[in-house]
Amino acid sequence: MAKKTQKVSEYGEAPKKINDRPFYEFTLDEDQKKFVNAILNPDNTIVFCNARAGTGKTTLAIGTADILVKHNEYEGIVYICSAYGEKAQGYLPGSITEKSEVYFEPAYQAMIECNMNPNTCVNTDSMVNQKYGEGYVTLLTHTFLRGTNLKKKVIILDESQNYTVSDLKKTLTRCSDDCKIIVIGHDKQCDLENKQASGFVKYLDHFRGHEHCEVCELTINHRGWVSQFADELEE
């Protein structure tokens, strides 16, 4: 089969490092730059980030994913959030999208902060946005992933501390090697009843050291001292 020719982007070649380039309207700290650079690095297929509260992990992930898509490195963004109340989710009224909407608020906030318009860039059940070539962001929970094949996408796994080992295995095994996978979480804010069941740190350690994986940490809370001080209390 002939290899597809990649369409040239109006934005030119994708940056390999952010360094002193502007990142939307944000001034990044050094750890944030390292995280963005890890995502931009074409040698990294998967990037893990253990990030404390208020460090901007979701915004950085979505903003960098958008850069890669706009430079035609990937065909779209798939944002997957853990639905740790999975059984309750199934009983909620409405379509899959309506059942899951409550989990997507962080993604919507991040898109707005990165000058993305959720009304046009998010795929909807009606497929209208895809029809007109606008929708390129898909929002999912891990609940409905069984049997899905994810190809040529930037995959963002958010709140990954709330995925069990089984949840993460189900999600990561959906991803092809032509994806860029970003796994973000906070090991100190697990909402699972059995915190030992979390697969985030286990998978982070499992992939650590692989030549196509980079592990990052974000520690500076940019929300302010109240959020930072509250996050420091160990349960």
Side-chain angles (χ1 to χ4, degrees):
M1 184 181 291
K3 189 176 179 182
K4 247 187 201 178
T5 305
Q6 183 172 315
K7 183 180 174 184
V8 178
S9 168
E10 62 181 287
Y11 297 94
E13 187 180 352
K16 301 297 186 291
K17 288 188 175 181
I18 198 71
N19 294 343
D20 296 323
R21 288 171 177 257
F23 188 83
Y24 304 96
E25 296 172 8
F26 303 105
T27 300
L28 304 185
D29 64 44
E30 289 307 308
D31 285 343
Q32 289 176 324
K33 287 181 183 177
K34 184 179 177 184
F35 179 40
V36 171
N37 287 341
I39 299 169
L40 292 174
N41 186 343
D43 292 332
N44 290 334
T45 306
I46 185 166
V47 176
F48 283 83
C49 186
N50 192 359
R52 300 188 74 96
T55 52
K57 53 188 177 292
T58 304
T59 300
L60 293 170
I62 284 182
T64 312
D66 195 51
I67 290 171
L68 290 171
V69 171
K70 283 181 175 169
H71 285 84
N72 289 333
E73 296 293 319
Y74 298 90
E75 294 175 354
I77 300 168
V78 179
Y79 173 91
I80 306 171
C81 190
S82 166
Y84 57 87
E86 162 174 1
K87 290 181 182 176
Q89 183 189 16
Y91 289 107
L92 291 173
S95 66
I96 289 175
T97 300
E98 290 165 339
K99 289 174 188 286
S100 306
E101 201 69 28
V102 65
Y103 297 100
F104 300 146
E105 183 63 24
Y108 285 120
Q109 289 183 11
M111 283 185 273
I112 291 167
E113 287 180 332
C114 295
N115 304 322
M116 300 162 66
N117 183 354
N119 293 322
T120 55
C121 68
V122 174
N123 292 331
T124 62
D125 282 349
S126 66
M127 304 293 284
V128 169
N129 290 346
Q130 296 97 307
K131 178 180 177 182
Y132 292 106
E134 295 176 325
Y136 61 94
V137 180
T138 301
L139 305 177
L140 299 171
T141 65
H142 78 275
T143 313
F144 304 107
L145 275 181
R146 187 71 69 192
T148 303
N149 293 313
L150 300 173
K151 297 181 179 180
K152 198 63 178 171
K153 299 288 195 295
V154 183
I155 314 295
I156 300 170
L157 278 61
D158 205 356
E159 300 294 345
S160 297
Q161 74 277 1
N162 292 327
Y163 290 69
T164 64
V165 174
S166 176
D167 292 335
L168 268 177
K169 179 174 286 192
K170 176 178 69 175
T171 306
L172 290 171
T173 55
R174 304 300 104 202
C175 304
S176 300
D177 285 351
D178 58 3
C179 291
K180 174 80 70 174
I181 307 154
I182 308 165
V183 185
I184 49 180
H186 180 4
D187 63 345
K188 304 298 184 190
Q189 285 201 359
C190 178
D191 296 311
L192 297 174
E193 233 175 275
N194 176 10
K195 298 187 189 308
Q196 300 305 313
S198 173
F200 176 54
V201 173
K202 292 172 185 174
Y203 260 109
L204 183 152
D205 289 337
H206 179 68
F207 275 93
R208 189 193 297 273
H210 192 284
E211 61 178 323
H212 296 301
C213 172
E214 190 165 344
V215 176
C216 303
E217 288 190 3
L218 298 175
T219 57
I220 299 174
N221 188 322
H222 294 277
R223 287 188 186 130
W225 77 266
V226 173
S227 179
Q228 174 87 35
F229 201 60
D231 197 35
E232 289 171 0
L233 177 66
E234 299 285 344
E235 292 185 33

